[in-house]
């Protein structure tokens, strides 16, 4: 296989180049990240759930501790959340969506709820945490 | 001058290496162009998936929320319940206007809200929740 004598003199100029290129390749492979991030602006929450408005201009999203979601007390699926909030808002332009997170609910559900409220066209999104939601 | 180079080079060895070098160069250029280099965070968080993007500039201050609910302020780890003082210290030289929160998707919404409440207490009106593009 390697019985032919290798003439090294000409190769010698190329080997360091290959070494450096490999080194750079490995460096860039390890340092680059392909994760595409985006940002979601959220207003910092109310001091307590009691300070949030609860009148007729409010649609409430409840993040239950067991991972389920409710809109104004009615259980909804994650996929149907935008539609449910839209139905709650109706044609009004001044509706507030309040997101109440029960202890045990996850950040992913919280982010989904904020996005759903924004996509449904809420004028204002308020958030608060509560120990236990009592319907 | 040219006659020096033309002196019958042993081409066979080069020809076996050239495709390899080509591929390595190609990969190098791919990683150079396609990836973005960002400094690594102190703790790995699995970002929640989101759909909306508020095209915002890079926030100078980033706060991490680990999956178990603990808050990372640079090198420091604090419980979100007592994060107010450390947050004020942490944000003192970074500014209060733009604070990015990288919360793990599995972290409890309660710890995220506790952190956001602490941020509100020290005068931050709006936070940016970093999400991963998708679904």
């Amino acid at each position: 296989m390697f019985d032919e004598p290798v003439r090294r003199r000409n190769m010698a100029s190329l080997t360091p180049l290959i070494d450096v290129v490999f080194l750079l390749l490995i460096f860039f492979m390890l340092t680059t990240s392909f994760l595409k991030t985006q940002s979601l602006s959220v207003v910092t929450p109310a001091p307590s759930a009691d300070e949030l408005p609860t009148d007729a201009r409010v649609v409430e999203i409840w993040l239950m501790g067991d991972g389920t979601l409710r809109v104004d007390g009615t259980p909804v699926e994650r996929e149907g959340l935008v539609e449910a909030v839209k139905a709650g808002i109706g044609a009004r332009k001044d509706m507030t969506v309040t997101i109440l997170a029960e202890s045990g609910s996850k950040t992913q559900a919280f982010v989904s709820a904020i996005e759903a409220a924004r996509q449904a066209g809420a004028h204002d999104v308020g958030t608060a945490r509560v120990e236990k939601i009592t319907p | 001058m040219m006659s020096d180079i033309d002196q019958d080079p042993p081409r066979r060895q080069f020809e076996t290496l050239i495709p390899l070098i080509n591929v390595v160069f190609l990969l190098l250029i791919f990683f150079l162009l396609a990836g973005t280099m960002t400094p690594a965070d102190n703790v790995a968080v699995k970002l929640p998936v989101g759909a909306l993007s508020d095209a915002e500039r890079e926030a100078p201050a980033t706060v991490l929320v680990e999956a178990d609910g603990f808050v990372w302020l640079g090198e420091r780890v604090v419980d979100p319940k007592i994060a107010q003082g450390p947050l004020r210290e942490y944000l003192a030289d970074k500014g209060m206007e733009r604070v990015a929160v990288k919360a793990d998707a599995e972290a409890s919404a309660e710890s995220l809200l506790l952190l956001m409440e602490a941020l509100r207490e020290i005068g931050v009106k709006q936070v940016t929740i970093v999400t991963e593009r998708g679904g």
Side-chain angles (χ1 to χ4, degrees):
Chain A
M1 206 172 168
F2 295 113
D3 47 1
E4 283 181 53
V6 179
R7 283 217 259 159
R8 295 191 54 82
R9 211 162 54 84
N10 281 299
M11 281 300 288
S13 61
L14 207 56
T15 328
L17 171 79
I18 301 166
D19 287 352
V20 168
V21 169
F22 258 111
L23 209 92
L24 284 170
L25 177 67
I26 290 162
F27 171 74
F28 281 107
M29 275 175 78
L30 296 179
T31 52
T32 51
S33 62
F34 293 97
L35 192 69
K36 293 272 178 241
T37 57
Q38 54 194 13
S39 51
L40 183 70
S41 294
V42 184
V43 178
T44 45
S48 82
D50 305 330
E51 295 199 13
L52 289 165
T54 49
D55 56 21
R57 293 183 292 109
V58 175
V59 176
E60 282 189 343
I61 304 176
W62 296 351
L63 311 176
M64 309 306 279
D66 55 2
T68 56
L69 299 162
R70 292 186 184 198
V71 175
D72 283 338
T74 324
V76 286
E77 290 296 314
R78 182 75 57 89
E79 293 78 38
L81 187 60
V82 181
E83 289 307 312
V85 177
K86 239 178 216 162
I89 287 174
R92 298 184 64 159
K93 289 274 180 286
D94 58 344
M95 293 292 273
T96 302
V97 173
T98 297
I99 297 161
L100 296 177
E102 206 176 70
S103 59
S105 54
K106 302 282 183 219
T107 298
Q108 176 67 69
F110 181 67
V111 168
S112 303
I114 293 168
E115 297 206 328
R118 293 258 301 266
Q119 283 170 336
H123 175 256
D124 200 10
V125 181
T127 54
R129 66 189 168 82
V130 281
E131 276 305 311
K132 188 88 190 123
I133 296 172
T134 42
Chain B
M1 272 175 85
M2 287 300 283
S3 59
D4 283 345
I5 305 164
D6 290 339
Q7 271 178 2
D8 181 37
R11 298 194 62 82
R12 249 147 58 81
Q13 288 297 321
F14 277 101
E15 273 156 22
T16 53
L17 264 174
I18 284 166
L20 169 80
I21 301 166
N22 284 347
V23 168
V24 169
F25 257 112
L26 209 92
L27 284 169
L28 178 67
I29 290 161
F30 169 73
F31 279 104
L32 262 167
L33 297 179
T36 45
M37 276 206 278
T38 43
D41 293 322
N42 286 323
V43 63
V45 288
K46 197 191 163 298
L47 294 174
V49 177
L52 296 180
S53 183
D54 305 324
E56 235 180 74
R57 287 176 297 157
E58 191 86 358
T62 306
V63 178
L64 294 134
V65 182
E66 223 181 332
D68 58 7
F70 281 96
V71 173
W72 285 68
L73 309 168
E75 297 289 310
R76 280 178 83 179
V77 191
V78 290
D79 192 282
K81 288 188 188 75
I82 52 156
Q84 206 173 312
L87 267 172
R88 187 178 281 120
E89 268 174 49
Y90 180 64
L91 296 178
D93 54 338
K94 293 188 170 65
M96 302 272 186
E97 279 77 45
R98 285 176 293 133
V99 179
V101 177
K102 280 188 178 178
D104 196 290
E106 285 301 305
S108 73
E110 195 184 8
S111 54
L112 177 62
L113 282 161
L114 275 166
L115 170 71
M116 281 163 65
E117 281 170 27
L119 284 165
R120 188 208 55 238
E121 290 297 322
I122 63 166
V124 180
K125 297 211 166 46
Q126 200 167 47
V127 294
T128 302
I129 295 178
V130 182
T131 58
E132 192 187 326
R133 190 176 302 171

